[in-house]
Amino acid sequence: MASLTSASLELPKHMAKGIFEEAQLGSTIAALSGAKPMLFGESQSMTFSNPKAQFVGEGAQKSHSPVTPSIITVKPYKTQVTMRFNEEVKWADEDYQLGVLQQLADKSGPALARALDLGVYHGVNPLTGLAFAAITKFINQSTNRVETAGASIADLDAAEALVAGIPNGAALDPTYAKGFRSVRDSEGRRMFPDLRLQTEPTDLDGYTTSVSDTISASEEVAVDTGIRGFVGDYSQIYWGVQRKIGVRMIEFGDPDGEGDLQQFNQIALRAELVYGWVIGDLDRFAVIEDQVA
């Protein structure tokens, strides 16, 4: 049975699994703050401050342990990737069709992962590089700012000093992280050998670190943001995948504003999911940025 014949496309399991794994594994947010189970749509949940325990003497009265409740609102953000192909792929043999599907799987996962980072850090739409109006709170709004003249542990220490509470992660831009990779001792050994230029967490002088150019948003925005790192308490980011809409083949209409599919003898493949997230206290994050002229 041909692979590209269903309007609700059923990807081979290993490909479908790969898309949605990449949508998490390629994100520094996912690397530093694990996904949470989510209900679909906007939802609210209640959180409480930590209570204080009490030592009680023999025969003494036990006291109330006060906690402060607060309500957090998780908002959904639908995220999609749509790619066009010549409709002849429907007539090709199954091996060729699977190759087309593999292209979709290889490209869609990282794009969806970047979207999570760009929304949470910068509040921008990845496709345009411009502010996305529905995202009203993002990490780069933190007023805790550290100016850097180049990669230095002093930058991280300064950021840590500004963060309210205890930071548990650092997300760095590759251009900045490379500076740490190049630092060597008097015998030529790397000072930070555990740091890797990858999104999967590694270690930088005790900081759990993830590296991606989503930190500067260099692929998306027209003007360099100057952002080189975010240091903070990543438990303040509550996020998850609310719905895996899956992959669909679209044969008719104009699904992406690029013209009628039938007129151009094309089909479109669309991978789509819904993220949900909420960010807690922005004071629990600090931004490392280039020195302001």
Side-chain angles (χ1 to χ4, degrees), residues 2-6 9 89-90 97 100-101 249 251 267 269:
S3 303
L4 295 179
T5 57
S6 172
L9 187 64
V89 298
K90 294 192 299 180
Q97 292 182 19
V100 172
L101 293 177
M249 182 173 70
E251 298 180 89
I267 62 171
L269 295 178

Side-chain angles (χ1 to χ4, degrees), residues 133-173:
I135 302 176
T136 58
K137 187 175 184 180
F138 46 91
I139 304 297
N140 196 27
Q141 292 173 325
S142 174
T143 57
N144 300 326
R145 320 292 287 196
V146 173
E147 293 188 2
T148 179
S152 168
I153 289 298
D155 297 338
L156 300 180
D157 291 343
E160 181 178 320
L162 293 175
V163 170
I166 302 173
N168 58 17
L172 306 180
D173 186 73

